[in-house]
Amino acid sequence: LGDEEGFGRVTSAPCDFRRAEEEEDEEFTEWNNGAGRRSSAYAVESDQAYRTLKDELALEWEQAVGNRIADQLVEGMSYVDFLRPFTTAAFAYGREGRQGYLEGLTPAERRKLRESGEEQVSAVDLSRRNLRKIPLEAYLLLGPFVSKIKFSRNRITEIPTQLSRWGTIGSLLFDYNQISRVPASLGVHCGDFLTDINASHNQISALPSTFGKLSCLTSLTLSANNFKSIPTVVGECLSLRKLAMRNCQISEVSAVGTLHRLETLSLNGNPPLHHLAIEVGACTSLTTLDFDPVSFPPREIWEIGREHLLSHLSLLLLSRQTLTADISSLSLRTVSVGLCREVHLTTLDVSDNQLPSLPHCISLLSALTSLNLRNNLLQSLPPAVGHLTNMTALDASHNHIAALPPPLGLMAKLRSLRLTHNKLTCLPLSVRGLVALGECLLGSNPLVQPPADVAAGGGGGGGGGN
């Protein structure tokens, strides 16, 4: 069977357990200072490994182990050394004599036992082994005693679908590999116990629809992958408390809106993320929120702090029910595109801020009936405001507006127009289209046409406004 390293590259011959054991014992004896001492613990561990393999694998050895061993292990590692993480855990567990008892518990009883700290569990660490595949033994040798398995920093490219034996795993780490796909069976078989997943630094771009069945998942790390948005199924993991998706290509994070228990959200290093979704305001348990500068919410909001930011987002989220958004007196210097996407709004109050202008995307708010721009620094109104044809009330008083855009006359439903305390010298002829206008306040403007005295007295009818 191969070379001086124990199990070598086998092509056809089945594995000889006794021969392998003798070779390993000889190597261990030489290593033990040449004193001829033989560790009984080592022998027991080896015997346990072989017994477990015989009982569990039930496959042709040349297929299960022999042909794969050279591709599985770091050069110079013997097969017993490879099995050590499994057999150590199995032997320690076997001494407890509790396997039958644990296997007889329901998932709920098992979780309660694990949470109480009364269950003695073990971990299997296969990190930094230069593995290109998750070895077969990682599926067939795991018993209910293993709560954590670690494949970090290998060269693994896929997670096979046969995961039924991972049903009691609580922590699964396979960060720093080359994995591009998460199998659907992970959510099917591991939903009762899995609480922690670290799959960062891989090549994953999507998650299976069954991922949402991981009902116990509390920590999920998916940083440095190929995601373009937070997957919708992540929002179905309602127990999630920590989510890290740094250094991806994420532009959309609205899926977190259902995660009311989420405490930590890390989104740094996502260049396409320009707008922080209003749905983040639903994450009322957030204590840590990390992200790079965004255009929405405005800098004036998120620079103040996390609590102020979440309060602002919560208010905008509530506006989807009330159809009213009041973002007055916040020292805002911009109305962002993110706000203009809330096309359901019928009332928007941005008064008492420091707005020098309005964006052209304001026209997206086509459902608006009332817009309050009072007491800002506006020097003009964009032509796009004329597309708000459902508008009935517009207050732009106490600004620095010197002229009105001709499209303003398209607001055929406008009943109230307040433009006092501006710098208007004349009104465009298009205001004749404001056929429903009942209130037009133009006082404290240097008006030439219509004359100032007419404007000052024109508060009652449509003629005064024109």
Side-chain angles (χ1 to χ4, degrees), residues 408-428:
L408 187 72
L410 299 175
M411 296 181 177
K413 298 180 182 180
L414 193 66
R415 296 195 297 267
S416 175
L417 177 61
R418 298 183 179 186
L419 295 169
T420 59
H421 296 278
N422 277 286
K423 297 181 179 181
L424 294 172
T425 58
C426 65
L427 299 179

Side-chain angles (χ1 to χ4, degrees), residues 345-387:
L345 291 176
T346 59
T347 302
L348 176 60
D349 185 353
V350 292
S351 62
D352 299 300
N353 283 293
Q354 301 175 22
L355 302 174
S357 63
L358 292 178
H360 293 288
C361 63
I362 194 75
S363 62
L364 296 175
L365 300 175
S366 57
L368 273 185
T369 59
S370 176
L371 176 59
N372 189 349
L373 303 171
R374 180 184 176 89
N375 197 22
N376 277 282
L377 304 176
L378 297 174
Q379 299 181 17
S380 65
L381 295 177
V385 77
H387 295 289

Side-chain angles (χ1 to χ4, degrees), residues 37-102:
R37 296 189 299 272
R38 186 170 183 267
S39 170
S40 58
Y42 186 89
V44 170
E45 183 178 328
S46 300
D47 290 342
Q48 177 69 21
Y50 298 140
R51 287 196 299 272
T52 305
L53 288 170
K54 282 183 177 180
D55 295 340
E56 301 288 346
L57 289 180
L59 297 170
E60 291 293 331
W61 279 99
E62 58 182 304
Q63 297 177 5
V65 178
N67 290 336
R68 300 168 60 256
I69 204 67
D71 294 329
Q72 295 286 332
L73 307 181
V74 179
E75 184 178 356
M77 179 185 294
S78 67
Y79 190 57
V80 168
D81 285 337
F82 170 68
L83 290 177
R84 190 178 303 276
F86 300 102
T87 57
T88 300
F91 184 61
Y93 176 80
R95 286 182 298 179
E96 295 296 317
R98 304 180 67 191
Q99 180 163 354
Y101 167 69
L102 291 178

Side-chain angles (χ1 to χ4, degrees), residues 2 6 126 133 153 273 302 448:
L126 292 176
K133 297 179 181 178
R153 297 183 183 274
L273 185 59
W302 51 259
V448 177

Side-chain angles (χ1 to χ4, degrees), residues 299-309 330:
R299 179 181 293 271
E300 298 85 1
I301 300 296
W302 51 259
E303 274 189 339
I304 297 177
R306 172 186 50 79
E307 291 185 3
H308 188 69
L309 168 62
L330 293 175

